[in-house]
Amino acid sequence: MLKDVTFGQYYPSNSFVHKMDARIKFLLCLVFMVGIFFVQSFVVFGFITVFLIILIASSRVPLKSILKSIKGIIVLLLLTVVLNIFFTKGDPEKDKLLVSWWIFEIWDAGLYFAAKMFLRLVYLVMGSSVLTLTTTPVDLTHAIESLLKPLKVIRVPVHELALIMSLTLSFIPSLMEETDRIINAQKARGADFDTGGLVKRAKAFIPILIPLLVGGFRRAEELANAMNSRCYEGATKRTQMRVMKLTWRDLVGTLVVLLFFVTVFVIFGMKSQWINANVDWLYINDVNWLYF
Amino acid sequence: MDIITLDNVSYYYKTYDENNDVSYAVGVEGVSLSIEEGAFVALVGHNGSGKSTLAKLLNGLILPKSGTVTVAGLSTADKKNLFEIRKNVGMVFQNPDNQMVASIVEEDVAFGPENLGIPQPEIVERVSQALEQVGMTEYAKRSPHKLSGGQKQRIAIAGALAIRPKVIVFDESTAMLDPLGRREVLNVAKQLNKQGMTVVLITHFMEEVLDCGKVVVMSGGHVVKIGSPMEIFDDDRLLSSVGLDAPRSIALSRKLKSAGFNVTENCIDAKVLGGEVCQNLTNK
């Protein structure tokens, strides 16, 4: 029943993007996400679309798996679009009022804003799913540990956090198996998970959660013993087997992404009237601060 | 030379009854034992006989309430010694899933050497050597949860080996495995012992102790007998009193012998015994 659930959404391949260093991918993904939020005009969105198409093509991940990730935010998307359409008040001097009914008003500015918000969210998710689809969870953990290392200076337990992440990753499959076993055991004793109202169904899960929790504590103790037996004493003087090496791919990838964003923003960022209009109008309307 | 010495060691578990009153249950009591370097020692006993408690005492996971445990001249009672002691005593536990630290085989094996602070190139060397010793080299980049129980347990052994200990303790490492997995783990244990490693094998499968040099029988937290496997198997009364059985082939060969068959007494190998029985039947 739960066996099919694979953790993470890694799509194995040997593409250019797959072979890039996880740290670089992570940082570039951040650049992309921040960049997306500065995009104000449809022309620039067009360029971003081209960029995403090239990125996805070079990662050799099927478009279907990338689009799948949008499913998860579909409610948020609808909500954002609807709220923006109905509750954006335009400036009567510049914008056109399209529909007015009861307390609702639809302005053309609202439509534009909703469309941009929609694109922004969709591209955000698509961009980050390229990262998770081309990087194994293990690599991602290592990348985060390595990138957060400077925080050790201010006593953030970076190593411990990374260890917790990697232990979680390695325990998910066995916890899944255990959940499956418990569900079967409870079913064999006549437990019913599939009928009844919401409350009844929620209650039916208590006999699963409790053994799972107790089992979890037992596992944790055994794991602690195993780790102690293997000389674990925290991060002090610990070394690492894995070396992360940067290659020409990382250089090329970084240059391409940075050049793209710099060029697009230099050419369109300064001149575009769309931006000026939007920024002015942003000060008028408080609601949209939420999304900015 | 003795690598591990236990001198009159006792350990008690705190238990609470429904009134929250504290009482103490015996883990082990008055155990004195010495394990020579390079020996192959088996600890056998029924559930609750104290054999796993004894295992945890060997590398300082728990400390004796009285008596001393000395490993390579260092007492486990001193916290400063524990790191050095654990470097010398590797442990493989019962549940293979609960001792995996990483989700890639080679990274799991590297966990020990990483903790020791060994330079990176040497870690790589130790990991590949340890994986070779247990015959799991080709699985280095795989995820452990897709492997069989025996394979997972061999990874756990490699994880202990990568620390390069003098002693390796198998704390019922075969109890959760199928017969094939048990054989895999046992073969690795025997091989390691041949290479000079001190092996402490904790088990309740009597078949597994046949190749051991010394068998320690435990019951109720006490050591009740120490001897060679044959000496232990010969003592029927002792075995039945502690709830253990002699290996089936041995028990059968004895019965056949007393029934007048011409077979080797205390036959270890079931195939040899089978051959002898056939021989007897054709002769009659």
Side-chain angles (χ1 to χ4, degrees), chain A residues 138 142 167 170-171 173 219 222-223 225-226 228-233 237-243, chain B residues 56 59 61 83 86 93 95 98-101 103 106-108 111 114-115 117-118 120 123 145 163:
Chain A
V138 180
H142 281 284
L167 284 177
S170 62
F171 268 76
R219 272 169 198 279
E222 283 182 28
L223 180 69
N225 274 339
N228 274 331
S229 300
R230 284 157 83 180
C231 302
Y232 183 69
E233 293 206 316
K237 78 177 175 178
R238 221 174 169 269
T239 47
Q240 275 198 319
M241 177 176 74
R242 179 184 286 245
V243 256
Chain B
K56 291 197 183 78
N59 73 345
L61 285 176
F83 191 73
R86 286 171 188 164
F93 293 91
N95 188 333
N98 293 353
Q99 41 188 327
M100 294 286 163
V101 190
S103 39
E106 60 171 4
E107 282 187 23
D108 185 73
F111 183 73
E114 284 178 342
N115 289 334
I118 284 163
Q120 192 270 341
I123 297 182
H145 77 265
I163 300 172

Side-chain angles (χ1 to χ4, degrees), chain B residues 225-237:
Chain B
K225 183 161 183 160
I226 301 178
S228 72
M230 280 310 158
E231 281 168 21
I232 302 293
F233 300 151
D234 278 340
D235 198 340
D236 285 331
R237 271 181 49 209

